[in-house]
Amino acid sequence: MPAPPLILASASPRRKELLKLIGVTPDEIIPADIDETECAGEKPAAYVSRLAQEKARHVAKANPRAFVLGSDTAVACGRRILPKAEDERTARICLALLSGRSHRVFSGVALVKPDGEILSKVSETRVKVRRLDHNAIDEYIDCGEWSGKAGGYAIQGVFAKHIVTMLGSHSNVVGLPLYETSNLLTGAGWRK
């Protein structure tokens, strides 16, 4: 009997690339189309955990014999979850909020097993950004890397030069904590 397939419930090309770094290639990629609206009073760790589980469950409903991996990442200043920067104005607001201060990046990872059991983990990374003057923000906006990124930046690109310190997982900030993901897959009995 063939091994159950692994499905990545994500539209993010970065997650597929990150999985490749640890030797994991999903058999299929099926983005989960779910409502990502925050619940009232929801804390960032709970938010990413809930969304990762909802994404995995949503895709698993149509693929009950597969392992389904879902993930979600959020950038938080205090308890405030910053939006994905879909336009320049939002990116500028996010960058101004992050300037000269520390923030946290949370990623939730969830794995639905073929028997329906769901396993999940949350990773947290603290990131400190140097003070960004108008020229630094303009330069980053001009490069375009911010588009569609949580908190308006991509740590794996030009923005890395603005990172003063980071405590925790780099892959978490990119969009998928590899240590937690690898442990979930191994613990669930998934085999390449």
Side-chain angles (χ1 to χ4, degrees):
M1 188 170 185
L6 174 65
I7 299 172
L8 176 60
S10 175
S12 168
R14 291 173 304 285
R15 291 193 177 114
K16 180 182 173 187
E17 292 167 10
L18 286 166
L19 284 172
K20 189 175 180 181
L21 292 175
I22 58 170
V24 175
T25 302
D27 296 287
E28 198 171 351
I29 297 174
I30 304 173
D33 185 23
I34 65 165
D35 180 3
E36 297 189 18
T37 305
E38 292 172 56
C39 295
E42 192 169 34
K43 293 181 180 175
Y47 171 74
V48 296
S49 180
R50 177 178 61 82
L51 288 186
Q53 292 179 49
E54 286 182 10
K55 289 175 181 180
R57 282 190 179 111
H58 180 80
V59 172
K61 281 181 192 172
N63 300 277
R65 295 188 187 353
F67 285 97
V68 180
L69 183 67
S71 184
D72 194 76
T73 301
V75 174
C77 279
R79 292 180 58 169
R80 178 180 179 182
I81 298 171
L82 299 185
K84 284 183 183 173
E86 301 296 347
D87 56 55
E88 185 179 313
R89 180 182 173 279
T90 303
R92 286 183 183 281
I93 290 169
C94 289
L95 294 171
L97 281 169
L98 298 174
S99 175
R101 63 189 291 195
S102 293
H103 64 278
R104 296 173 298 158
V105 179
F106 294 91
S107 287
V109 183
L111 181 67
V112 176
K113 296 168 51 176
D115 65 7
E117 180 184 3
I118 188 161
L119 308 172
S120 65
K121 298 277 184 190
V122 173
S123 177
E124 176 183 347
T125 303
R126 292 188 178 271
V127 181
K128 179 163 178 149
V129 177
R130 75 174 180 90
R131 184 158 304 284
L132 303 172
D133 61 20
H134 292 293
N135 289 336
I137 291 175
D138 288 344
E139 178 186 88
Y140 191 65
I141 293 297
D142 289 345
C143 85
E145 285 181 352
W146 53 268
S147 183
K149 304 297 189 302
Y153 76 92
I155 198 168
Q156 69 274 26
V158 174
F159 199 77
K161 72 181 182 179
H162 300 301
I163 304 301
V164 178
T165 58
M166 182 173 60
L167 180 60
S169 167
H170 180 269
S171 63
N172 175 46
V173 183
V174 177
L176 185 69
L178 294 179
Y179 176 78
E180 290 81 357
T181 301
S182 178
N183 284 343
L184 280 180
L185 290 168
T186 301
W190 177 79
R191 301 286 178 259
K192 297 178 197 177

